[in-house]
Amino acid sequence: MAETRKVAIVGSARIPFTRGHTGYAAESNLSMMGAALGGLAERFNLKGEKIDEVMGGAVIAHSRDFNLAREAALDAGFSPRTPGTNLQIACGTSLQAALTLGAKIATGEIDSGIATGSDTVSDSPVVFGDKFQHRMIDLSRARTGGERLKVFKGFSFGELKPVAPSTQEPRTGLSMGQHCELMAREWGITREDQDALALKSHRNAAKAYDEGFHDDLIVPFAGVLKDNNVRADTTLEKMATMKPAFDKSSGKGTLTAANSTPLTDGASSVLLASEEWAKARGLPILAYLTIGQVAANNFAAGEGLLMAPTIAVSEMLRRSNLTFADIDLFEIHEAFAAQVLATLKAWKDPEYNRKVLDRETPLGEIDPEKINVKGSSLAYGHPFAATGARILGMTAKMLNTEQKQRALISVCTAGGMGVTALVERAA
């Protein structure tokens, strides 16, 4: 069996992220993903080149998006011999795509791959209830006028009411925000601590922009030049005026629009390769994707919808024989400030470590100055499938520019799952 190869992270490109129904109101998953991939092709002179596989997807997708990765790769200008594979694991989609492609590169199946993700709430599918949908299917199969009239027997105009897009978990009927409120109460996460974390995210992101960190990462698209959710001028006083967003009646709600990610449109991409493939084309190697882990928990029984990354990180570090002390940077996706804070508390809680992580000694505490040093999803926004690739691309650049050795990425997802990865700087 051939020796496994290193998986090089060459670089990344994404379009600016925008709040839903703003800059990309007229765009689609395909146009956004195509733009992100096109920016990557332009930056690394890959127009017309064959990439061994483009893999990614979208969480909120139309039926027309069934071949999204392939179509976007063609729109981006890669060789028509570039295959595209659709993949979806909620908010972990593009990170999971990177891990899957990385495994293929490591084993020699492919030499190059692009992980990508796109999501838009502005172009959410509008669907009708089951009864009217079945009528439309029957209508498409009808062959005579009589058969067509029969389709509408008993029809009422109430059937035309669209089914609103929903983020409710099918097994609980609760939204992600409602689940996170439960987590905040369980772990004693205060509104003040959530707002403080959100403020830090915005300030770190604004500073990163001021320093030019994003200049070679972001591709202007549809007239948008930068993320429009970053609030350099926000304050704790402004945040304190926000009303609870998910628990509006009990008087105990702590999650607000200020300490939760907004509904966001955007797309991102990351180029992975073998060292030989990158060097043959004179391309940089910023870092290496070394290992990943996916985990899930029994959230429907009360284990915390967004707590599965605690398990994935624990298992990944156990496999790597590493501890938090061996990590220089932590990139923890900020779906909600409360989710990040609950995760950090769980890792240092002895009982949680024993019962859930099967550890006699807690993973421990993380230095806050090592966490999301350039800001994260609370500031940039969170187009579900695109977030993993955004984080992976930023992480590789940070390790390279700041001469740090190792970074840990953690992404929580719907369905009580978590996707994690370790990245190491190229020597």
Side-chain angles (χ1 to χ4, degrees):
M1 187 173 182
E3 183 179 346
T4 57
R5 304 184 297 180
K6 288 185 175 182
V7 180
I9 303 173
V10 174
S12 64
R14 69 177 178 93
I15 61 174
F17 290 175
T18 70
R19 283 175 169 261
H21 311 290
T22 60
Y24 302 149
E27 301 300 331
S28 66
N29 279 322
L30 178 58
S31 67
M32 293 192 302
M33 183 180 286
L37 291 173
L40 200 65
E42 191 72 37
R43 180 181 174 194
F44 295 111
N45 196 29
L46 294 172
K47 291 283 187 178
E49 291 285 321
K50 174 183 177 290
I51 301 298
D52 288 337
E53 188 168 8
V54 173
M55 182 179 291
V59 176
I60 305 174
H62 289 267
S63 58
R64 64 173 182 254
D65 291 332
F66 71 95
N67 213 11
L68 180 62
R70 166 67 171 167
E71 293 296 332
L74 293 173
D75 286 351
F78 293 110
S79 164
R81 297 188 66 185
T82 299
T85 301
N86 274 20
L87 176 151
Q88 198 259 77
I89 179 172
C91 310
T93 293
S94 49
L95 183 57
Q96 175 75 322
L99 293 174
T100 305
L101 292 170
K104 291 187 174 189
I105 292 169
T107 57
E109 180 180 344
I110 62 175
D111 288 309
S112 62
I114 298 175
T116 184
S118 176
D119 257 302
T120 168
V121 296
S122 301
D123 187 34
S124 298
V126 177
V127 299
F128 296 98
D130 291 344
K131 192 170 185 179
F132 190 73
Q133 286 190 57
H134 287 304
R135 287 190 193 275
M136 292 298 98
I137 292 170
D138 291 343
L139 183 64
S140 71
R141 299 176 63 194
R143 294 292 178 265
T144 67
E147 288 177 345
R148 294 186 185 98
L149 287 174
K150 187 177 180 181
V151 166
F152 289 96
K153 183 178 180 180
F155 167 77
S156 69
F157 283 102
E159 296 176 28
L160 295 176
K161 182 180 179 181
V163 177
S166 172
T167 58
Q168 289 181 338
E169 288 289 334
R171 294 186 177 276
T172 63
L174 300 179
S175 71
M176 191 174 287
Q178 290 171 318
H179 271 285
C180 198
E181 278 282 12
L182 297 177
M183 289 164 49
R185 290 176 197 173
E186 178 184 356
W187 289 98
I189 308 299
T190 67
R191 162 79 177 267
E192 291 74 21
D193 285 346
Q194 293 175 55
D195 287 351
L197 189 146
L199 178 65
K200 184 176 181 180
S201 185
H202 280 280
R203 287 181 173 173
N204 285 350
K207 183 180 178 183
Y209 262 108
D210 291 342
E211 294 172 343
F213 179 82
H214 294 289
D215 289 353
D216 62 348
L217 299 180
I218 293 181
V219 180
F221 175 62
V224 182
L225 304 180
K226 60 186 297 185
D227 305 311
N228 71 4
N229 188 63
V230 178
R231 298 286 183 265
D233 61 346
T234 194
T235 64
L236 290 176
E237 290 73 25
K238 290 180 181 178
M239 291 181 173
T241 66
M242 304 295 289
K243 296 180 179 180
F246 303 102
D247 179 357
K248 302 177 181 180
S249 59
S250 75
K252 299 178 181 179
T254 60
L255 274 69
T256 70
N259 57 41
S260 309
T261 51
L263 293 173
T264 313
D265 303 336
S268 59
S269 59
V270 178
L271 175 60
L272 308 172
S274 67
E275 292 179 298
E276 296 79 10
W277 189 91
K279 290 175 180 177
R281 288 158 179 77
L283 298 177
I285 296 176
L286 301 181
Y288 297 105
L289 181 62
T290 61
I291 191 172
Q293 188 81 41
V294 182
N297 68 8
N298 192 359
F299 73 95
E303 292 187 1
L305 178 70
L306 306 178
M307 296 299 288
T310 62
I311 303 170
V313 165
S314 177
E315 293 178 356
M316 181 175 67
L317 292 179
R318 185 178 283 120
R319 287 169 56 208
S320 307
N321 197 29
L322 297 172
T323 69
F324 283 164
D326 299 305
I327 310 297
D328 301 300
L329 297 171
F330 293 81
E331 285 295 314
I332 303 175
H333 161 50
E334 299 167 343
F336 305 89
Q339 161 259 321
V340 176
L341 294 169
T343 294
L344 295 175
K345 272 197 168 184
W347 279 329
K348 62 182 182 180
D349 182 76
E351 183 178 5
Y352 187 86
N353 275 260
R354 281 195 305 272
K355 290 186 175 180
V356 180
L357 307 183
D358 194 26
R359 286 178 174 269
E360 288 304 315
T361 302
L363 275 167
E365 193 164 0
I366 300 173
D367 180 354
E369 296 307 309
K370 293 183 177 182
I371 302 173
N372 299 346
V373 297
K374 301 293 185 185
S376 193
S377 306
L378 287 168
Y380 297 118
H382 175 38
F384 307 121
T387 286
R390 173 192 68 76
I391 293 175
L392 183 59
M394 285 182 62
T395 299
K397 179 175 179 178
M398 279 189 286
L399 287 175
N400 181 262
T401 58
E402 300 185 15
Q403 299 294 288
K404 300 294 186 181
Q405 182 58 34
R406 188 179 288 115
L408 184 153
I409 297 172
S410 172
V411 178
C412 61
T413 88
M417 299 183 290
V419 185
T420 61
L422 285 175
V423 182
E424 295 188 1
R425 179 172 63 90

